[in-house]
Amino acid sequence: KAGVTQTPRYLIKTRGQQVTLSCSPISGHRSVSWYQQTPGQGLQFLFEYFSETQRNKGNFPGRFSGRQFSNSRSEMNVSTLELGDSALYLCASSLSGSDNEQFFGPGTRLTVL
Amino acid sequence: GQNIDQPTEMTATEGAIVQINCTYQTSGFNGLFWYQQHAGEAPTFLSYNVLDGLEEKGRFSSFLSRSKGYSYLLLKELQMKDSASYLCAVYDYKLSFGAGTTVTVRA
């Protein structure tokens, strides 16, 4: 079956702009989690969605938001971009939550100039 | 808060055994994951321990001691393809990851 897909794969933005990233989970998976990965901070949890509801949120400012649609596809949005938002953004899907095996997508590499 | 510690780097020879330790001090605990991440790729699941003890899966084994806040991942019969970063993650209704241990396998 098809894996987790993320679009776009690469993105370059400037400070102050906003960006929307998309994630399509594996068919049948209802949980989607988002992570930020940087060399300095490692892999950090952003939020988890299950059946269109945000189930958990990490310690990120309100500029980071997300949503999940009825087909389980998810988007995350970052507003008022800062240089420090440059990172690899990974989404992961699982059948019922992050206490199950998660399948990660290839990520979106965001560069903020 | 969450504090998850693992060594930064380890080097071992092909065919050898390597043990990657992970210690954690977290506000809550419901289980511990190990993920493997090759350079430039996404993490892939290796194991999930909820109860104390050893879980074996082929060449990889994972151990958990909840009372000691300690886990290890054991890689046996190392192969070149095992060169990767190994991430320890504590689950408490969300995942908190350690910084990862980069394992280099030399011929």
Side-chain angles (χ1 to χ4, degrees), chain B residues 58-72:
Chain B
R59 295 188 299 113
F60 292 5
S61 302
S62 57
F63 172 83
L64 175 67
S65 168
R66 296 179 64 147
S67 62
K68 294 182 180 177
Y70 169 70
S71 172
Y72 69 72

Side-chain angles (χ1 to χ4, degrees), chain A residues 11-17 81-84 86 110-113:
Chain A
L11 207 49
I12 299 175
K13 292 285 187 179
T14 56
R15 279 183 300 174
Q17 288 187 308
L81 282 166
E82 300 177 0
L83 296 179
S86 293
L110 172 65
T111 301
V112 182
L113 302 176

Side-chain angles (χ1 to χ4, degrees), chain A residues 36-45 60 84 86-87, chain B residues 87 96-100:
Chain A
Q36 181 195 66
Q37 187 170 34
T38 60
Q41 299 296 320
L43 203 57
Q44 292 186 285
F45 171 77
F60 279 80
S86 293
Chain B
L87 305 168
S96 297
F97 284 85

Side-chain angles (χ1 to χ4, degrees), chain B residues 8-77:
Chain B
T8 304
E9 295 181 346
M10 301 183 75
T11 301
T13 306
E14 200 173 13
I17 298 173
V18 70
Q19 178 174 313
I20 306 169
N21 296 324
C22 172
T23 57
Y24 61 90
Q25 291 176 304
T26 56
S27 53
F29 182 88
N30 288 291
L32 189 141
F33 284 88
W34 285 95
Y35 279 85
Q36 179 192 58
Q37 187 174 25
H38 285 100
E41 297 182 11
T44 55
F45 169 85
L46 289 177
S47 67
Y48 180 43
N49 293 68
V50 177
L51 302 176
D52 286 358
L54 186 68
E55 300 258 352
E56 296 185 84
K57 193 186 293 186
R59 295 188 299 113
F60 292 5
S61 302
S62 57
F63 172 83
L64 175 67
S65 168
R66 296 179 64 147
S67 62
K68 294 182 180 177
Y70 169 70
S71 172
Y72 69 72
L73 180 70
L74 196 68
L75 287 61
K76 295 178 276 191
E77 300 169 19

Side-chain angles (χ1 to χ4, degrees), chain A residues 35 37 43 45 56-57 98-102 104-105, chain B residues 33 35 37 42-43 45 48 87 91 93-95 97:
Chain A
Y35 299 88
Q37 187 170 34
L43 203 57
F45 171 77
N56 260 306
K57 191 176 190 306
S98 51
D99 59 335
N100 294 171
E101 174 182 356
Q102 289 188 85
F104 284 80
Chain B
F33 284 88
Y35 279 85
Q37 187 174 25
F45 169 85
Y48 180 43
L87 305 168
Y91 176 71
Y93 302 106
K94 60 184 179 184
L95 281 183
F97 284 85

Side-chain angles (χ1 to χ4, degrees), chain A residues 8-108:
Chain A
R9 293 292 313 279
Y10 301 91
L11 207 49
I12 299 175
K13 292 285 187 179
T14 56
R15 279 183 300 174
Q17 288 187 308
Q18 75 165 19
V19 67
T20 299
L21 312 181
S22 180
C23 172
S24 292
I26 291 172
S27 178
H29 285 191
R30 297 169 65 189
S31 168
V32 173
S33 296
W34 287 90
Y35 299 88
Q36 181 195 66
Q37 187 170 34
T38 60
Q41 299 296 320
L43 203 57
Q44 292 186 285
F45 171 77
L46 280 156
F47 26 66
E48 180 192 357
Y49 286 88
F50 181 83
S51 293
E52 302 179 67
T53 301
Q54 187 180 88
R55 198 148 72 169
N56 260 306
K57 191 176 190 306
N59 299 322
F60 279 80
R63 300 185 297 106
F64 291 81
S65 63
R67 59 179 176 167
Q68 187 180 34
F69 302 96
S70 58
N71 61 359
S72 292
R73 190 178 69 86
S74 177
E75 289 181 348
M76 69 163 279
N77 184 78
V78 188
S79 62
T80 320
L81 282 166
E82 300 177 0
L83 296 179
D85 297 333
S86 293
L88 180 67
Y89 290 89
L90 293 161
C91 90
S93 77
S94 64
L95 282 170
S96 59
S98 51
D99 59 335
N100 294 171
E101 174 182 356
Q102 289 188 85
F103 295 83
F104 284 80
T108 294

